[in-house]
Amino acid sequence: MTSRMSARPLRFGLYVAIAALSLSGCNKPAEEVKAKPERPVSIVKAHFASAVAPRSLVGVVKARVESNLGFRVTGKIAQRLVDRGAKVKAGQPLAILDQTDWKLQLQQSQAALAAARSSRDQTVAERDRITQLRLKGWSTSSDLDKANAAADQASGGFVQAERAVTLQQNTLSYATLLADADGIVTATLAEPGQVVASGQAVIALAHAGTPEADVSVPEAMLDRVRGGTASVVLWSRPDKVYPAVLRELTPSADAATRTYPARFSIEKTGKEIDLGMTATVTISDASAAVARLPLGAILDDGQGASVFVVDPQTKALARRQVTVQGYDSQAAIVASGISEGDDVVALGVQKLHAGDVVRLVSQAGF
């Protein structure tokens, strides 16, 4: 009986000890109970662009006006004064023909002019003399008529000789090929000593002014080229984007390539653009801007499409409702709900909750 009475206090003390241990566990700090490890996540930067992907065309930088210059007379080239790549001014001599024969013809015309002038002066003086004699009755009307006819003929011969001198002077000036505008020599098509015909191309000159990108447009892109916004990037300077304007679109396709030649004027250019450079013309539509996100970034649990955005300061997640315009094989097209540059969780959004603190481990290339 005594042993049973002594066992009861022992059991009671054991129960009290167990209860005390349980209560001590319940009094741990709330922070230790609620603390969760940071979840590693992969993100993608939100970037808004045209809903329709821009199309690019590769072309060559050319001058708006490119002319082949030639002499207006036939002759032998005596001098070529410029080389390919030379920058010239309007009126600057480019090449000269042998002028020996034209100088002799000019001298001959000048001598004929001097003779015609002398003959005219003599006949006019004779007419004036006979006119005075006729007034005094010392000459006949027949003599006066003859004098008038001779004077008129001599005057006409003088005018003809004057025109001949002018023509020879012009011909001599044609022996010097002049630049018709400021520009750059792009080709030399004849050499000194070569005999060239009238109108044969001797110098190719690209006129100074706004450069243009010469491209070939496929038939499927004609409407986009006419109504889109164009920009140009040079292969030599990929970091610089130049605005461009469609200036010319050929109405008929090239017989060989079945494409349509087009010219885009490149605006806001400087000396860094040289003729012949390779350029990429990008055509963008004027449609509303959208963001393309990975398919795994979209969470739809019956409350509408949403994404998780990482706060750049606290690294906490915020759930945002988004408007999805559509889907393709690789991306969801988001029209609104996020801002440019937001860090959007790219994968594993089904395991996350708003307020979770995350750790950025990678940025998805998208």
Side-chain angles (χ1 to χ4, degrees), residues 353-365:
H353 301 87
D356 288 353
V357 178
V358 297
R359 175 167 51 90
L360 308 183
V361 295
S362 66
Q363 181 170 332

Side-chain angles (χ1 to χ4, degrees), residues 77-262:
I77 297 179
Q79 290 179 286
R80 179 167 55 80
L81 305 176
V82 294
D83 294 316
R84 184 182 304 175
K87 295 183 178 181
V88 298
K89 297 292 184 181
Q92 178 178 336
L94 306 178
I96 301 175
L97 294 178
D98 184 5
Q99 302 177 1
T100 303
D101 292 341
W102 290 302
K103 287 181 178 179
L104 291 175
Q105 292 175 2
L106 177 60
Q107 292 173 1
Q108 182 181 10
S109 299
Q110 289 172 339
L113 175 63
R117 180 182 293 108
S118 177
S119 177
R120 182 203 60 179
D121 294 344
Q122 183 179 359
T123 55
V124 169
E126 180 66 17
R127 181 187 60 185
D128 293 342
R129 186 178 67 82
I130 293 178
T131 300
Q132 294 297 326
L133 292 176
R134 181 70 183 91
L135 292 176
K136 296 178 181 180
W138 296 343
S139 177
T140 64
S141 298
S142 176
D143 292 338
L144 180 59
D145 292 341
K146 290 179 181 179
N148 286 331
D152 291 342
Q153 183 178 3
S155 297
F158 174 75
V159 173
Q160 183 178 6
E162 276 188 327
R163 299 296 183 269
V165 170
T166 302
L167 288 174
Q168 291 301 326
Q169 289 174 339
N170 290 342
T171 301
L172 183 60
S173 68
Y174 297 155
T176 301
L177 182 61
L178 303 178
D180 58 350
D182 296 350
I184 300 176
V185 175
T186 58
T188 54
L189 308 176
E191 298 296 332
Q194 181 177 343
V195 177
V196 294
S198 174
Q200 179 180 339
V202 175
I203 300 291
L205 180 67
H207 292 201
T210 302
E212 297 184 339
D214 185 12
V215 298
S216 297
V217 181
E219 182 177 350
M221 287 187 59
L222 289 178
D223 291 338
R224 180 178 295 188
V225 167
R226 292 190 183 102
T229 302
S231 61
V232 173
V233 175
L234 301 176
W235 288 21
S236 60
R237 294 196 61 184
D239 58 327
K240 178 70 173 178
V241 179
Y242 301 91
V245 177
L246 177 66
R247 184 188 67 82
E248 176 184 295
L249 180 60
T250 305
S252 58
D254 183 87
T257 63
R258 305 308 304 167
T259 57
Y260 293 79

Side-chain angles (χ1 to χ4, degrees), residues 229-298:
T229 302
S231 61
V232 173
V233 175
L234 301 176
W235 288 21
S236 60
R237 294 196 61 184
D239 58 327
K240 178 70 173 178
V241 179
Y242 301 91
V245 177
L246 177 66
R247 184 188 67 82
E248 176 184 295
L249 180 60
T250 305
S252 58
D254 183 87
T257 63
R258 305 308 304 167
T259 57
Y260 293 79
R263 290 288 190 100
F264 288 86
S265 297
I266 308 173
E267 301 179 340
K268 298 180 181 180
T269 60
K271 297 182 179 179
E272 70 277 5
I273 295 185
D274 292 324
L275 300 179
M277 284 184 169
T278 305
T280 299
V281 179
T282 302
I283 309 297
S284 303
D285 288 342
S287 56
V290 296
R292 301 172 64 86
L293 300 178
L295 295 174
I298 305 299

